[in-house]
């Protein structure tokens, strides 16, 4: 592996550490208002599903938006029907605009 590949792999491990999930849960339980009208970016879909489980314990109006999902989810977020998205996508202003 090149030095760059090593650092990229280390970064991936940090971004998907299961040890961060209980800390995130505690933090969000203390300050649930931080999730209002927010987008939570995660490294992988699998990790995002675990983050979503934590968020759903606080409020049901949260959803994932991963590869291949219906763009209707973005519209629902833009219209205020969903409080938070958990995604590993780069979302553009154009994709968030209402029809």
């Amino acid at each position: 592996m090149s030095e760059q590949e090593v650092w990229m792999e280390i970064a991936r491990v940090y971004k998907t550490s299961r040890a961060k999930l209980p800390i995130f849960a505690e933090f969000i339980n203390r300050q649930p208002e931080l999730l209002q009208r927010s987008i939570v970016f995660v490294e992988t879909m699998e990790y995002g599903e675990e983050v979503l489980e934590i968020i759903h314990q606080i409020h049901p109006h949260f959803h994932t938006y991963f590869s291949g999902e219906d763009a209707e989810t973005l519209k629902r977020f833009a219209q205020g029907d969903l409080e938070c998205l958990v995604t590993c996508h780069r979302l553009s202003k154009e994709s968030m605009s209402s029809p």
Side-chain angles (χ1 to χ4, degrees), residues 14-74:
Y14 284 143
K15 292 176 186 177
T16 58
S17 171
R18 298 294 185 270
K20 294 190 306 186
L21 294 172
I23 296 165
F24 174 71
E26 183 180 325
F27 180 75
I28 292 304
N29 279 313
R30 283 193 316 243
Q31 299 180 61
E33 69 278 1
L34 294 177
L35 294 174
Q36 292 175 355
R37 304 299 305 144
S38 64
I39 300 173
V40 177
F41 290 94
V42 294
E43 181 69 11
T44 66
M45 289 173 42
E46 294 80 17
Y47 196 81
E49 291 293 339
E50 292 185 52
V51 169
L52 185 66
E53 286 181 32
I54 293 168
I55 293 172
H56 266 161
Q57 294 174 10
I58 297 168
H59 200 286
H61 297 302
F62 299 87
H63 203 282
T64 58
Y65 184 74
F66 296 128
S67 179
E69 289 198 26
D70 188 359
E72 186 64 30
T73 300
L74 289 180

